[in-house]
Amino acid sequence: MREVPKQTVMPIKSYQNQAQLLVKNYLFADPFIPYTSILGGILACKVAYDLTQLISNFYSKTYPGLTKIQRVEWNNRGISTVHAIFISALSLYLVFWSNLFSDELAGLLVFRSSPLSTFGLGVSVGYFVSDLAMILWLYPSLGGIEYVIHHSLSGIAVAYSMFTGEAQLYTYMVLISEVTTPEINIRWYLDTAGMKRSTAYLINGIVIFLAWLVARVLLFGYMFYHVYLHYTKVIKMHIFGYILVFGVPAVLATMNLMWFGKIIKGVLKTLAKRR
């Protein structure tokens, strides 16, 4: 094997160093993380949409026979699934396994943030912006007014937390609820594929019920209790952040309970049909 000439190696190393400095000093420098992460989130949505379309064309027997709007929703659910896996995993890590929001550390936990936590929120903002744009563009094919309200409130709250660094703990607690999104999407895929009476559909319905109960009902109760315990710290936030900490989760929790009622009815109806 021939050795690469030194005259070639030196320019390559120089370009590598310049690229590393660009990433370190600009793309991932603290002041630029919010903007680069939002753009990265929007780009990731586009990539996920195209990959879902490509993979489905090759490996799904159902996809080629769908209408145009059904294909758009199919691909769009691919985006939400990828985002949900990413943000719920990051949220669980930051809330329960990292020490970023530990009570043992000095300083108010409502003002704590890190480059990683800010980056994750930026990716989520990019997703909410992209998905809301698609919902509005094709309204009401991809979802009604409840989806517009949900995405608007979520996007505003996440963006505020990302730019200010306030209440990132509570923002990530709420984002853990995205763990239910892949199951909801699987339910839609199975239904669209004509597998509503399959065992997989029933099992997925039970998983949705359990995941929703834990991540969108009990966890919200735990979050409100945590806010109550740390109220002397929460009250020191900016008034807008203070309102968001109470207002947005309250609205989302109400919507979650309404949807949970529908989930219970759906599970009971499916079980009754299988007797």
Side-chain angles (χ1 to χ4, degrees):
M1 192 172 177
R2 274 187 358 180
E3 256 187 60
V4 179
K6 287 185 179 181
Q7 294 89 339
T8 305
V9 172
M10 293 301 291
I12 291 175
K13 286 186 176 180
S14 176
Y15 285 126
Q16 286 177 339
N17 291 336
Q18 290 177 25
Q20 289 172 357
L21 286 173
L22 175 66
V23 171
K24 182 179 178 181
N25 295 335
Y26 293 96
L27 296 182
F28 290 112
D30 287 355
F32 298 101
I33 287 177
Y35 308 103
T36 55
S37 57
I38 291 173
L39 291 174
I42 294 172
L43 178 61
C45 287
K46 171 61 176 170
V47 172
Y49 186 96
D50 290 343
L51 283 177
T52 302
Q53 184 178 37
L54 181 65
I55 293 170
S56 299
N57 268 319
F58 278 100
Y59 296 103
S60 173
K61 295 178 181 179
T62 304
Y63 188 81
L66 298 178
T67 63
K68 183 178 180 180
I69 192 64
Q70 284 178 320
R71 290 187 186 186
V72 171
E73 183 167 1
W74 182 291
N75 300 335
N76 187 59
R77 287 180 182 272
I79 296 174
S80 63
T81 299
V82 171
H83 167 261
I85 293 171
F86 165 77
I87 201 62
S88 58
L90 181 60
S91 298
L92 286 167
Y93 166 72
L94 290 173
V95 173
F96 295 112
W97 288 297
S98 76
N99 64 351
L100 178 61
F101 304 113
S102 173
D103 286 327
E104 297 176 1
L105 295 180
L108 300 179
L109 60 80
V110 292
F111 296 115
R112 285 191 207 147
S113 63
S114 70
L116 176 61
S117 65
T118 301
F119 177 82
L121 294 179
V123 172
S124 225
V125 171
Y127 160 73
F128 283 120
V129 169
S130 301
D131 203 39
L132 182 60
M134 290 189 69
I135 290 172
L136 293 174
W137 182 259
L138 298 170
Y139 188 84
S141 300
L142 297 182
I145 190 63
E146 68 274 14
Y147 286 93
V148 175
I149 294 172
H150 177 275
H151 278 42
S152 298
L153 289 176
S154 298
I156 291 169
V158 173
Y160 178 84
S161 185
M162 174 193 63
F163 281 115
T164 65
E166 289 187 10
Q168 289 198 1
L169 168 61
Y170 299 124
T171 304
Y172 273 109
M173 280 188 182
V174 172
L175 286 171
I176 290 174
S177 63
E178 285 294 311
V179 75
T180 62
T181 299
E183 295 86 356
I184 295 295
N185 288 340
I186 289 172
R187 178 181 180 277
W188 185 88
Y189 286 133
L190 291 172
D191 189 6
T192 304
M195 299 175 65
K196 202 169 183 177
R197 295 185 178 274
S198 67
T199 303
Y201 189 88
L202 175 62
I203 293 173
N204 185 66
I206 295 171
V207 172
I208 289 173
F209 169 79
L210 295 174
W212 201 281
L213 175 62
V214 174
R216 289 186 181 261
V217 178
L218 298 179
L219 184 62
F220 272 70
Y222 170 76
M223 194 210 78
F224 288 124
Y225 178 65
H226 193 282
V227 171
Y228 168 75
L229 291 178
H230 298 82
Y231 184 74
T232 55
K233 300 174 183 177
V234 174
I235 201 172
K236 294 180 180 179
M237 294 171 54
H238 187 277
I239 185 63
F240 188 70
Y242 177 85
I243 292 171
L244 287 177
V245 164
F246 285 95
V248 173
V251 174
L252 295 180
T254 302
M255 295 174 71
N256 288 338
L257 288 173
M258 291 170 58
W259 282 326
F260 190 53
K262 294 181 180 180
I263 290 170
I264 293 173
K265 288 180 182 178
V267 171
L268 292 176
K269 187 176 179 181
T270 302
L271 290 173
K273 286 181 179 178
R274 299 179 70 88
R275 286 178 183 175

